[in-house]
Amino acid sequence: MPRRRPTANNAGPTASVEQLQRTLDSLYDQASVLGHGLLALRRANTTETVARSIAHQILHLATRGVVRLVDDRTIQPVADAGSENLRPDERLLLQLLFTGRADGAPVRTASFAAEYKGDHQVATWAHLVRPVRRSADEEVRRAGWARTRPVTARDRMRVLGALSCYPGLSGTLVLAQTAGGMSLSPAVGLGLAYGAAVGAGLAWVAPSTDWFLTGEGRRVRDAARDYAGRLRELLAHDDPLPPDQASLTFYEQALPFAMLHGFGSEWEERLREHYALDTTRNTVLLDDPPVHRLAALAHAIVGTIAPVRPPGVDGGGGGGGGG
């Protein structure tokens, strides 16, 4: 798939719809929503981060007509979307969504309705995380944006750091409390302390993927962050875009990107306000009754991949799709 570089800084509040859409298209051409999610991964839980990226990727597929949102818990494949040019990670995600886990037969509906056991939600879609993450990880490496698969290498470094830190720290404390042990073997104590320090350092710095990105990878990541900043600036002003089809299409297609960068709920509100200016326009996200909350679908997807405590129970978390 050809990858176009983002255009110059042209996505401010006075930018035209064509400029905004062109920059967005160039970012999507370079990496899927999943790929952008991995490039932006910082010190965060990998499972929840990938779960959020999967939720936003599903919404992106909906804006492209590959899947249809039935309600705020259910999606279906679109029969005539087979010719859509999908990346390997996107194709794998679709395959996993619409394949029965018990018998491997094709299914027509992927339901993210919450299921609970006691106070805990059952992770009915947790099987998506590992294969989808690995596929997106490999796509990032293959594109030349990382010297290795960044998230895989990051997780291995965290494990190595933990294996070095905790035994070293425990051994150091034991020796420190045993005067005879310290006097007999001070080198052992120093070695264990050094191992604990190195391990703690590895476990701390490993959660960032920056170590493994190439210069091109950082450029793609920074271009996405810059564009997200411009979209935030757009939200800070009264809607500057005309109520035509091109503007509505842009608002819809930018929603997954806004969700990925943490302001999806605000962007959805702008989308709905803009659509209300002229409801005769064609929309792929807001047509189906009842009008579902798109952020609610993202919450449901994340909740069934990275389980959370049910509403009203202290300690709840998770969620997805912006805000």
Side-chain angles (χ1 to χ4, degrees):
M1 178 180 295
R3 293 185 170 90
R4 296 174 293 177
R5 289 177 176 270
T7 54
N9 295 353
N10 55 11
T14 60
S16 68
V17 176
E18 292 77 13
Q19 291 174 323
L20 290 163
Q21 186 70 58
R22 188 161 55 247
T23 306
L24 180 65
D25 288 344
S26 69
L27 289 168
Y28 281 151
D29 281 350
Q30 290 180 95
S32 64
V33 174
L34 293 166
H36 280 298
L38 297 190
L39 287 174
L41 184 63
R42 296 185 183 178
R43 289 177 171 83
N45 179 276
T46 302
T47 299
E48 184 173 347
T49 299
V50 175
R52 289 174 184 269
S53 297
I54 288 173
H56 308 151
Q57 178 67 73
I58 290 173
L59 287 174
H60 184 220
L61 292 173
T63 67
R64 293 154 61 186
V66 179
V67 299
R68 185 174 73 89
L69 308 181
V70 179
D71 53 38
D72 60 4
R73 292 294 185 273
T74 311
I75 62 173
Q76 292 179 341
V78 176
D80 58 354
S83 61
E84 178 74 19
N85 191 9
L86 299 174
R87 288 181 169 83
D89 50 353
E90 296 173 330
R91 195 174 300 279
L92 175 63
L93 174 58
L94 280 178
Q95 178 185 346
L96 292 172
L97 285 173
F98 300 113
T99 300
R101 281 169 287 169
D103 54 10
V107 297
R108 289 292 304 166
T109 299
S111 174
F112 292 93
E115 299 178 15
Y116 296 102
K117 286 186 177 180
D119 289 342
H120 296 278
Q121 185 169 322
V122 180
T124 54
W125 289 91
H127 68 291
L128 292 177
V129 172
R130 182 169 295 181
V132 171
R133 189 215 72 194
R134 285 180 176 174
S135 180
D137 217 11
E138 179 60 24
E139 284 300 296
V140 169
R141 185 201 64 79
R142 186 180 294 118
W145 300 330
R147 289 177 286 274
T148 182
R149 292 187 297 179
V151 182
T152 299
R154 164 190 183 271
D155 289 346
R156 288 175 178 172
M157 284 187 65
R158 294 189 73 180
V159 171
L160 178 62
L163 291 176
S164 300
C165 176
Y166 290 111
L169 181 61
S170 300
T172 301
L173 293 174
V174 169
L175 287 175
Q177 293 174 357
T178 308
M182 285 297 291
S183 61
L184 290 175
S185 184
V188 173
L190 291 174
L192 289 173
Y194 179 77
V198 171
L202 282 176
W204 172 251
V205 301
S208 172
T209 60
D210 285 359
W211 277 23
F212 313 105
L213 298 184
T214 62
E216 183 68 7
R218 290 188 177 91
R219 185 197 64 76
V220 174
R221 179 204 60 195
D222 292 344
R225 290 177 180 173
D226 288 345
Y227 188 69
R230 298 181 195 121
L231 294 186
R232 287 181 183 272
E233 187 179 357
L234 191 69
L235 285 178
H237 297 75
D238 292 336
D239 189 352
L241 303 184
D244 55 21
Q245 184 61 51
S247 298
L248 179 62
T249 298
F250 161 72
Y251 274 126
E252 287 192 316
Q253 292 184 356
L255 177 62
F257 191 87
M259 286 182 166
L260 187 68
H261 289 272
F263 54 100
S265 296
E266 296 92 331
W267 193 265
E268 182 180 349
E269 290 302 318
R270 171 62 62 85
L271 165 62
R272 292 183 182 279
E273 292 169 0
H274 186 82
Y275 179 56
L277 298 175
D278 180 5
T279 58
T280 65
R281 292 173 292 175
N282 179 55
T283 169
V284 295
L285 295 181
L286 304 180
D287 271 346
D288 294 335
V291 178
H292 40 265
R293 302 297 298 181
L294 302 169
L297 174 62
H299 277 277
I301 293 171
V302 173
T304 56
I305 296 174
V308 298
R309 295 173 69 82
V313 177
D314 290 339

